[in-house]
Amino acid sequence: MRRRTFLGTVLAAGLAGCTAPASDETPGATTTVAGPTVVTPPEPDPEREPFQAEGSQLVTAAATDRVYALGAGGGGGDEEWLWDSFQFVSEPDADGPALVEGTLTNEGDFERVIAFEELSLFDGTGWFRPDGYLDVSIPGRERDFVHLLEPTAAHDFADRESSFHRDGEGVWRVREHADHDIPDYLRLAPGQTIYGQWALVADTVEFDGRVPVPGRYSTADTSEVHLSIGIWDRTAPGPSEESIHAGRDVPPPPPAREDVTKRVWYHEAGPETPVFLHPETEAGTLPLRVDFTLVNHTVEQAFGLNPYNWGLYKLHDDMWYHIAPQNIPLPGGSLQPGSIARKTHTLFNGRRLGGPPGFDDTDDSYRRTVPYLGPGLYAYARDLMFEDTYRCYAALLELDGDPVAVTPATDLSIERGGDTIEAVHPEVDTSRRNHRLTVERAPEAETDERVLPEQIMTVDYATGLRNAIGLLEPGVGTVRLETPTYEVSIAGDIADRSPVILESPDGPVTIRVGIEDLWE
């Protein structure tokens, strides 16, 4: 393999610096000030166009039973004109560590100059930040960075070759780091590419505690080059710590799809479980912010990963009741081997903070903020498809907080006569179509249908049913509410199931719900 170096590509202007005018103190003298160094890529090597070999995103170290998976690059952060790509070109064996090759290309139409400090990995460094889903901590480093990739002599910007050795446990390590004289800036013409090659290694023996443990590691957020490396034990790919809910007997997790064939609880998972849903916490007091991470420690690519397809359920009388979200958009995706899919949810005991997003806002962070949750045991679930079969992955979450009661969401015009309340929504006069919702107590009715307060209170649109039930105070037998049609959509399901038992904090209340059109 022919080595290429950047030493002959530094621009003369960058090395020569600039000449400053004479100062008043030293008339006639000049001062040379070093300017920034700017380089262009070396001439293309025909032996490495575009890669030396057909690579893969996955390799296994037979000596250590470790599996390593690359998270594809494919884009450079905020700089949309950058395109990066990485692959393995060799596996770790007795002759050497696994080798990773990568390219970075100017996909834009114009010449670009970018600071090398923004090109992590291609600037000769190989530090990664561990992900927190397995509580990865690296002794001896305050910021918990891990050294995983060491440039080889085939790297475009390596001045000399690093040396490696294999320790007694079969782990390839850096024997001696190569020095790198990295310039300040890189100049890339349209279509121009730079190359990197790295050895996947642990750090030197002096840093024995930093041998990468199973987990997921990513380049820093400040880098315009994004690469992740997933590491897991082939013989024990699942979580190593026991869940606080281990041994708890609950009904199967409720899947969002009818064709789910397998259900996997986190509290029933163990080291042998290759795919699992890891909760950042399994119990807490509201309000609470929780990360749920879906982990794929298999060599298979999973499909059907809809970022909006998650479910929050509450357990009541040995049955799961769906709480959120109210609707699921259709986009889909995949989960590569060694990859994760994380969702952060903010859960409140009362109203959520902040207002709803605008009409054109595609960020789903608002829908992942769930208000008005009461105490109890919840399940968080996501579906994933392997080999044309859907599986449901779920985790338990015990929440503590005040009980939730149904209260009106809108200021209504109210008239009371005896045990009957007549109410009018303030937008009835300006709405083109209106409905009348009727909620009445039905103490003599027999039914097994139940509704939880959280199912009504977490809905931040179509709050007509919440308004009507919220007026059903002690001493009130019937509530009639005139309201715009767009406020009654979720009431239809409960009306169809009437009578239903509302599980209020003061005890169960059996009610009937009716809907009447008020337009011709």
Side-chain angles (χ1 to χ4, degrees):
M1 179 190 312
R2 182 164 62 88
R3 175 187 171 203
R4 300 185 296 152
T5 178
F6 76 93
L7 294 180
T9 65
V10 180
L11 298 184
L15 285 179
C18 58
T19 301
S23 65
D24 294 338
E25 290 78 9
T26 54
T30 59
T31 303
T32 300
V33 179
T37 54
V38 184
V39 300
T40 56
E43 290 299 319
D45 186 337
E47 297 179 8
R48 298 172 56 208
E49 290 294 326
F51 290 104
Q52 286 182 339
E54 290 295 328
S56 70
Q57 302 302 116
L58 195 76
V59 295
T60 301
T64 59
D65 277 326
R66 291 281 177 84
V67 182
Y68 301 89
L70 296 178
D78 295 331
E79 303 292 354
E80 297 180 355
W81 54 274
L82 282 177
W83 185 265
D84 53 57
S85 181
F86 298 90
Q87 64 181 15
F88 284 109
V89 292
S90 71
E91 296 185 351
D93 54 29
D95 296 325
L99 294 180
V100 176
E101 284 197 352
T103 59
L104 185 69
T105 303
N106 178 1
E107 292 283 346
D109 297 327
F110 306 98
E111 182 179 80
R112 303 279 185 163
V113 176
I114 188 168
F116 250 98
E117 65 181 12
E118 300 179 26
L119 303 179
S120 174
L121 298 183
F122 288 97
D123 67 357
T125 61
W127 293 98
F128 288 76
R129 187 191 301 275
D131 190 279
Y133 77 89
L134 288 181
D135 297 324
V136 175
S137 61
I138 312 301
R141 290 203 65 85
E142 181 181 352
R143 299 186 65 187
D144 287 350
F145 282 102
V146 181
H147 185 270
L148 293 178
L149 295 181
E150 177 71 9
T152 71
H155 195 290
D156 273 351
F157 303 101
D159 297 326
R160 65 185 181 87
E161 189 165 6
S162 303
S163 59
F164 314 106
H165 74 101
R166 198 182 193 193
D167 66 16
E169 298 180 354
V171 176
W172 280 96
R173 295 181 175 275
V174 178
R175 186 189 304 275
E176 184 179 3
H177 291 284
D179 295 328
H180 306 293
D181 184 14
I182 301 301
D184 297 307
Y185 294 94
L186 173 70
R187 186 189 302 276
L188 279 177
Q192 205 162 24
T193 297
I194 60 174
Y195 293 83
Q197 187 186 83
W198 304 264
L200 178 60
V201 290
D203 212 330
T204 58
V205 176
E206 288 79 1
F207 304 114
D208 184 66
R210 302 177 201 173
V211 174
V213 298
R216 187 172 181 267
Y217 303 83
S218 302
T219 50
D221 294 338
T222 56
S223 173
E224 293 296 339
V225 178
H226 292 173
L227 177 66
S228 65
I229 299 179
I231 304 174
W232 67 94
D233 189 330
R234 181 173 52 178
T235 63
S240 59
E241 295 186 1
E242 188 176 69
S243 165
I244 66 172
H245 300 295
R248 193 164 190 171
D249 186 19
V250 293
R257 302 176 56 95
E258 296 181 355
D259 53 351
V260 167
T261 59
K262 183 178 181 179
R263 296 168 173 84
V264 181
W265 280 114
Y266 177 75
H267 72 278
E268 295 177 350
E272 73 288 348
T273 308
V275 183
F276 54 93
L277 181 69
H278 178 271
E280 179 187 22
T281 182
E282 298 183 87
T285 300
L286 295 162
L288 187 67
R289 189 181 182 95
V290 187
D291 285 345
F292 294 96
T293 305
L294 191 59
V295 182
N296 180 15
H297 280 173
T298 74
V299 297
E300 302 177 50
Q301 180 179 0
F303 296 92
L305 185 67
N306 183 343
Y308 305 105
N309 187 5
W310 54 271
L312 183 67
Y313 304 83
K314 185 175 183 179
L315 187 66
H316 179 78
D317 282 350
D318 211 32
M319 288 186 60
W320 291 111
Y321 290 81
H322 179 263
I323 304 300
Q326 276 71 51
N327 57 73
I328 300 175
L330 294 179
S334 63
L335 192 62
Q336 301 290 333
S339 295
I340 65 172
R342 173 178 291 115
K343 286 294 180 185
T344 301
H345 295 265
T346 307
L347 312 177
F348 289 94
N349 192 218
R351 68 178 184 86
R352 61 161 58 91
L353 299 180
F359 179 78
D360 295 326
D361 194 341
T362 58
D363 182 14
D364 72 331
S365 60
Y366 181 78
R367 70 175 64 237
R368 290 186 279 109
T369 302
V370 187
Y372 297 106
L373 297 178
L377 186 64
Y378 291 78
Y380 179 86
R382 297 194 69 177
D383 296 337
L384 202 59
M385 185 176 71
F386 284 89
E387 297 179 350
D388 298 328
T389 61
Y390 273 94
R391 306 173 189 176
C392 177
Y393 298 90
L396 294 177
L397 179 62
E398 187 89 45
L399 295 179
D400 187 23
D402 295 329
V404 172
V406 179
T407 57
T410 311
D411 290 332
L412 307 168
S413 299
I414 298 174
E415 293 184 4
R416 181 165 180 171
D419 68 348
T420 299
I421 286 182
E422 303 282 349
V424 179
H425 191 281
E427 297 179 10
V428 161
D429 292 338
T430 58
S431 175
R432 295 178 58 188
R433 294 183 175 181
N434 298 308
H435 272 85
R436 178 180 289 115
L437 279 176
T438 301
V439 176
E440 58 183 351
R441 297 179 186 271
E444 305 302 324
E446 295 184 1
T447 180
D448 293 326
E449 294 287 340
R450 283 174 166 77
V451 177
L452 305 188
E454 289 88 350
Q455 293 179 291
I456 298 172
M457 291 294 291
T458 56
V459 179
D460 55 7
Y461 63 93
T463 56
L465 186 61
R466 174 183 169 182
N467 288 331
I469 292 178
L471 295 176
L472 199 67
E473 302 171 349
V476 177
T478 302
V479 174
R480 298 188 185 96
L481 170 65
E482 290 189 25
T483 189
T485 299
Y486 59 77
E487 285 282 331
V488 303
S489 61
I490 72 163
D493 173 65
I494 296 179
D496 292 340
R497 294 190 288 130
S498 287
V500 299
I501 299 173
L502 175 65
E503 298 288 352
S504 73
D506 298 326
V509 179
T510 304
I511 60 175
R512 285 190 175 90
V513 177
I515 303 177
E516 179 185 357
D517 297 344
L518 295 181
W519 75 87
E520 297 181 357

